[in-house]
Amino acid sequence: MSWDKLTNTKKEGGLGFRYLKAFNMAMVAKQGWNLISKPHTLVSKNFKARYYPNTSFFDANIGFNPSFVWRSLWKAREVLMLGCRWSIGDGSQIMAMNEPWLRGRREGCLIGPQKQAYEDILQVPLLKEVVKDRLIWKEEQNGVYSVCSGYRLWRSLEDRKVAGRFAVVMNVIWKNKNDLIWHNEKEEASKLGLIAFHNWHDWFMAQRNQERNENLQNVTSWNPPPKGWLKCNVDARFNKQWGTTNGGWCVRDKSGNFVVAGVAWDIGTLSILEAEASAIKEAIESAIALHLENVIFESDARHVVQAIHSNHKGDSEFSLIIMYIRNLLHISSNFEVKFVKRQVNSVAHSLVKVANSWSRCSVTNVNPPCIQSIILNEMR
């Protein structure tokens, strides 16, 4: 059999061998990532002084009489240039018109003049804590380059026959065609590929999280908190009609009685994990503002809860939100964050559905009609 077939997975009829060219370039790209992320090291300083003293690694030329190592690193930039973008901090280091920082576009750059598509800018989550601008690897949730994701990206450039992504691409193209015919609206061709990739990625993550969730707990009904504690259920969702990311939370006491609830929505769409993490952050900040004590926050986003309790580190927006949540929990030591199944989180899920009918950031101590029946059924 040909080597291309042998590199396919066993499910695809191959033997799962590594495609050596892609694997080698992914490993070389790892060294390029080290030059970017660790500019203070001696080897990074030597390469910069020799090959790109007045520019960046991405803007460097091959140069005159380059070494074999530099030629390899220079070639591996293709992977890094496709998978890297800036994470917004104070904005001082980013050339907004020439460097990738936008989410939702493959090239990531702001192309002028801007007639539409302002929603791309609104998809950038900002935190109250100002941090430095950071170059991140957008193929990983923690924003740090890995050989595995680099290998996948390189293979995706050379092999477009992945059935799942192909199906999503066709769906996006078909929808774009219908929008043009019926609504005289269409997306740029360069944006369709990125939309398809994110749709496939979000679907894949949702399926994997769902499988893990089903095996994690057997709890199928809401349980009240221990005596002296409150329980706050949190959820997030996207509203395609309004183009917003919604978050909602509801606090109940040990008897299941309603205490307080809130919703918040923002224009633009984040990733699934960022939306869930932002909802938890909003709930904790609201609890602190309301001077609540001994609160258990429950979310059906297992990956987010796991990241909060693990040693998750990184430079991505998701990582920054997680670190911000940890800081809040450190300040309020009587707060806990736990995972629950989706069916146990129905109150918060119902709140986010109607979030857009409220003001942008609302808190109420009156039991909303949309959740009254659910709370009544879950009371013991």
Side-chain angles (χ1 to χ4, degrees):
M1 298 179 67
S2 68
W3 182 256
D4 288 339
K5 291 183 178 180
L6 293 176
T7 57
N8 289 335
T9 64
K10 293 182 180 179
K11 290 182 179 180
E12 297 172 335
L15 292 178
F17 291 167
R18 292 288 189 183
Y19 184 61
L20 297 183
K21 178 182 178 181
F23 190 65
N24 179 67
M25 294 307 297
M27 289 193 294
V28 175
K30 175 70 173 180
Q31 305 310 315
W33 173 260
N34 288 334
L35 295 182
I36 299 170
S37 60
K38 302 175 183 177
H40 58 280
T41 60
L42 180 60
V43 65
S44 298
K45 292 179 179 179
N46 286 338
F47 271 98
K48 181 170 179 59
R50 172 65 175 85
Y51 295 107
Y52 50 100
N54 301 315
T55 186
S56 67
F57 175 73
F58 289 125
D59 295 327
N61 295 317
I62 188 65
F64 175 74
N65 193 26
S67 67
F68 175 77
V69 174
W70 174 246
R71 287 199 302 268
S72 301
L73 290 169
W74 193 79
K75 177 65 176 176
R77 292 184 318 156
E78 296 180 31
V79 180
L80 296 174
M81 292 173 73
L82 285 172
C84 284
R85 68 169 173 81
W86 283 97
S87 174
I88 301 295
D90 56 15
S92 62
Q93 302 182 48
I94 302 173
M95 299 179 64
M97 299 297 294
N98 300 320
E99 296 182 328
W101 61 276
L102 286 176
R103 298 149 59 94
R105 293 189 183 185
R106 182 175 60 183
E107 69 279 2
C109 300
L110 186 64
I111 302 174
Q114 288 290 301
K115 297 180 180 179
Q116 297 179 359
Y118 63 86
E119 63 274 10
D120 289 342
I121 299 176
L122 297 176
Q123 289 178 6
V124 179
L126 299 176
L127 299 177
K128 295 179 181 179
E129 294 182 349
V130 178
V131 295
K132 293 183 179 179
D133 301 319
R134 302 180 182 183
L135 201 62
I136 66 170
W137 179 249
K138 59 187 178 183
E139 303 297 322
E140 295 286 352
Q141 285 294 342
N142 63 0
V144 179
Y145 178 90
S146 71
V147 174
C148 183
S149 59
Y151 175 79
R152 289 197 305 266
L153 183 58
W154 188 270
R155 284 300 308 268
S156 69
L157 297 176
E158 300 185 349
D159 184 5
R160 302 294 183 182
K161 297 181 180 180
V162 179
R165 293 188 180 183
F166 178 78
V168 175
V169 169
M170 294 303 296
N171 178 266
V172 170
I173 293 175
W174 177 259
K175 183 179 182 301
N176 194 56
K177 178 182 177 182
N178 288 337
D179 288 341
L180 177 62
I181 295 175
W182 299 106
H183 306 292
N184 197 29
E185 298 176 354
K186 68 175 183 177
E187 296 284 0
E188 299 176 358
S190 61
K191 188 174 181 179
L192 294 180
L194 188 63
I195 294 175
F197 174 80
H198 282 298
N199 287 347
W200 176 86
H201 181 267
D202 288 345
W203 175 87
F204 177 80
M205 291 298 297
Q207 298 302 311
R208 187 171 68 175
N209 288 340
Q210 182 178 357
E211 292 176 359
R212 290 178 176 177
N213 292 348
E214 291 174 354
N215 296 326
L216 187 67
Q217 291 188 1
N218 295 321
V219 178
T220 58
S221 61
W222 184 84
N223 286 325
K227 183 178 180 180
W229 285 76
L230 299 172
K231 179 168 286 189
C232 178
N233 288 89
V234 187
D235 199 11
R237 77 185 295 265
F238 305 124
N239 187 320
K240 294 182 179 180
Q241 181 180 359
W242 288 62
T244 61
T245 299
N246 301 348
W249 51 271
C250 178
V251 179
R252 285 175 280 181
D253 62 19
K254 65 180 182 64
S255 299
N257 296 309
F258 174 86
V259 176
V260 64
V263 297
W265 56 268
D266 219 339
I267 299 175
T269 54
L270 309 178
S271 72
I272 292 175
L273 298 181
E274 288 170 345
E276 296 282 2
S278 296
I280 296 175
K281 176 184 73 69
E282 183 71 27
I284 296 176
E285 287 180 330
S286 299
I288 294 174
L290 293 170
H291 305 290
L292 301 181
E293 295 183 354
N294 299 332
V295 183
I296 300 172
F297 298 87
E298 289 187 341
S299 168
D300 56 27
R302 178 184 179 276
H303 190 82
V304 176
V305 175
Q306 187 180 53
I308 293 173
H309 293 295
S310 68
N311 59 347
H312 178 97
K313 297 179 180 179
D315 296 329
S316 67
E317 288 87 353
F318 173 70
S319 300
L320 295 178
I321 297 173
I322 293 299
M323 287 187 283
Y324 186 78
I325 292 174
R326 285 182 188 162
N327 290 336
L328 293 177
L329 294 176
H330 181 73
I331 295 172
S332 304
S333 58
N334 55 351
F335 287 176
E336 297 181 8
V337 178
K338 295 183 178 181
F339 166 79
V340 291
K341 283 190 174 183
R342 187 177 182 84
Q343 58 264 38
V344 184
N345 209 33
S346 55
V347 166
H349 185 66
S350 297
L351 280 174
V352 294
K353 284 184 177 181
V354 299
N356 295 104
S357 62
W358 295 14
S359 60
R360 198 159 188 167
C361 187
S362 302
V363 176
T364 178
N365 56 7
V366 178
N367 195 348
C370 62
I371 61 174
Q372 288 177 1
S373 60
I374 300 176
I375 290 179
L376 184 62
N377 291 333
E378 292 182 341
M379 289 179 66
R380 293 184 178 181

